[in-house]
Amino acid sequence: MSHVTHDAPDATLQATFLAALRTALPDLRLLTDGADTDAYRRDMTAYLQPGMPLGVAFPNSTTEVSTILRLASEHRIPVVPRGAGSGLSGGAAAIDGALTVVLTGMDRILHIDPDDLYVVVQPGIMNAALGRELAPQGLFFPPDPASFEFCSIGGNLAENAGGLRCVKYGVTRDYVLGLEVVLADGSVIRTGGRTVKDVMGYDLTQLFVGSEGTLGIITEATLRVLPMPSPNRTMLAFFRTATDAGRAVSGITRAGVVPVTLELMDRFTIHAVEAALHVGLPADAGAMLLIESDAPEVVADAELDAAAAACRAVGALRIDRAGTAEEADALREARRKAHWSLERAGVARMEDVGVPRSRAAELIAAIEHITTETGVPVGVFGHAGDGNFHPTFVMDPDDPEGERKVEEARARLFAAVLELGGTVSGEHGTGLVKRAWLERQRGADHVRILGAIKTALDPLGILNPGKILALD
Ligand SMILES: Cc1cc2nc3c(=O)[nH]c(=O)nc-3n(C[C@H](O)[C@H](O)[C@H](O)COP(=O)(O)OP(=O)(O)OC[C@H]3O[C@@H](n4cnc5c(N)ncnc54)[C@H](O)[C@@H]3O)c2cc1C
């Protein structure tokens, strides 16, 4: 089991820091008892052993965040920014002797602008809650991670999260106009603005998006929103093998169809979901695609017809169209619950690899080969339309060799992905769990530049040390 370590500051400095924090911010909610802080040590990367935080703070304003970071810098106390803790790369995992700063109390929508199509929010609002507030105004924020009910916009920004609609709408970074960010020394900067176009200077907004809490704490975001599209029309296609489904994805792309959702589940995942939810998925299918269109009705029908033809061309076993909105919701929910269902089968370790879409079938074949060779069961599901898959290794907790076998399968998977011109993480981030693969994917020069950026913005290494980049 990986352990999150860091040279903790000495006890005197820690005590002085906590005293200074209490004096400067007497109303700040601050937990320091281990029994209370325990709930904030882990994100959803269950196999990581997190550190013991010095404390957990819950600021309510940018001023409070600024004071916390100023004092942390003065006392050399590391800080772990934290949203809702749903991350899958250890980004919010606690560090020994660090202060975890939870942003979920800053969850207000500050402004909705239907004329200029933007919204200004604090980082702690949950993704789905923002969607619910926008809907009555006929607006929507497209990025929707499968975790949308329990992940924050701040976490989405810090991870550059994807989701089920990326194939048509892109990822979180495509919807960020500007940010307010508190830097490690407590200074507050604003990046970007509210205009559709803006090319003044280097693009700091995009630098902070995906920076995983290592460069600054996001305290406000101006996000682009779109007019609400039509309700989704939903179709399921079942295949003999996952490779057939991968070929269907290529066929759909070649046919010029851009569905809003194009998700895959393999046989192992279908069985796990069916065992957990009993939604009537066929036991004999080797793979399934969930295909949706949010185009106006006539166009949506034409898109699904073309997608169905591409599926039949590779020998689809069965194609079902959801008759009602409720049926469609149930099918989407089955996909959203894939990880949860696999967790019921053992210790699930979800990966997040991406390949160029045209190589999806090759990736699936490589995963099947790795499973056979290592003997580690794997459920594959994910955003097939983006070439972004979540092979989830299911470890038998009673197998003493289980962890070693998963590590081997994981290393083989990443090597295969890089061979196919892909990425070790499509949307979950580098954090701690992919850090060892950063240089192999990007190269030494690239990593050196990342280090220089980190040093320029956080010279004392206060913010989330050891995440993305290894400590020296
Ligand atoms: C079942 C399940 C399904 C998922 N599906 C998807 C999916 O479809 N697509 C996807 O992209 N991800 C998915 N995820 C992963 C996760 O939900 C996302 O990474 C999400 O964006 C994390 O948000 P959070 O609020 O929980 O952040 P946390 O886990 O709390 O933090 C994540 C990172 O962001 C940093 N951070 C948080 N808030 C701030 C802030 N205000 N300023 C600076 N840094 C900050 C933290 O330091 C950490 O590095 C899934 C997770 C689960 C458990």
Side-chain angles (χ1 to χ4, degrees), residues 58-105:
F58 299 82
N60 283 316
S61 67
T62 302
T63 310
E64 287 187 351
V65 175
S66 166
T67 305
I68 291 169
L69 282 180
R70 179 175 56 74
L71 291 173
S73 275
E74 282 171 17
H75 294 81
R76 308 288 193 270
I77 301 291
V79 168
V80 177
R82 183 180 175 97
S86 73
L88 289 165
S89 54
I95 295 175
D96 285 334
L99 182 76
T100 290
V101 176
V102 180
L103 280 307
T104 48

Side-chain angles (χ1 to χ4, degrees), residues 167-394:
V167 58
K168 178 165 181 178
Y169 291 107
V171 294
T172 301
R173 74 161 71 259
D174 300 315
Y175 295 88
V176 191
L177 292 173
L179 297 173
E180 177 186 80
V181 183
V182 183
L183 301 180
D185 64 0
S187 54
V188 182
I189 63 162
R190 281 189 168 273
T191 72
R194 291 174 182 186
T195 56
V196 174
K197 293 174 165 182
D198 184 349
V199 291
M200 290 299 285
Y202 295 141
D203 193 340
L204 291 186
T205 305
Q206 295 297 346
L207 177 63
F208 287 106
V209 175
S211 64
E212 302 186 26
T214 63
L215 300 181
I217 295 188
I218 298 164
T219 45
E220 191 186 295
T222 304
L223 305 172
R224 203 158 70 85
V225 292
L226 298 180
M228 183 72 84
S230 302
N232 284 6
R233 313 272 280 185
T234 304
M235 182 173 98
L236 286 188
F238 297 95
F239 302 86
R240 218 164 264 114
T241 66
T243 318
D244 285 350
R247 285 165 49 223
V249 170
S250 297
I252 291 169
T253 311
R254 253 197 320 275
V257 178
V258 185
V260 63
T261 299
L262 183 45
E263 296 284 314
L264 174 137
M265 297 199 318
D266 75 347
R267 183 191 309 275
F268 194 90
T269 312
I270 292 173
H271 285 192
V273 169
E274 190 51 32
L277 298 179
H278 310 292
V279 281
L281 301 176
D284 60 338
M288 175 197 114
L289 288 179
L290 168 71
I291 307 166
E292 299 193 281
S293 170
D294 66 353
E297 204 170 309
V298 181
V299 182
D301 283 340
E303 284 189 349
L304 292 191
D305 286 347
C311 293
R312 281 195 202 92
V314 298
L317 294 173
R318 202 175 103 189
I319 293 178
D320 297 344
R321 291 202 189 188
T324 63
E326 290 72 29
E327 250 179 74
D329 286 347
L331 297 175
R332 218 170 296 120
E333 192 57 11
R335 159 59 191 93
R336 285 191 192 278
K337 288 274 167 61
H339 179 242
W340 175 81
S341 305
L342 286 166
E343 277 183 321
R344 291 163 48 112
V347 180
R349 185 157 173 169
M350 191 196 320
E351 297 303 342
D352 170 42
V353 295
V355 291
R357 275 177 289 206
S358 60
R359 310 205 72 176
E362 285 171 84
L363 173 66
I364 289 163
I367 294 170
E368 281 168 359
H369 184 65
I370 291 165
T371 309
T372 316
E373 296 255 299
T374 57
V376 183
V378 66
V380 182
F381 63 94
H383 317 296
D386 309 329
N388 178 202
F389 296 91
H390 300 311
T392 300
F393 298 109
V394 181

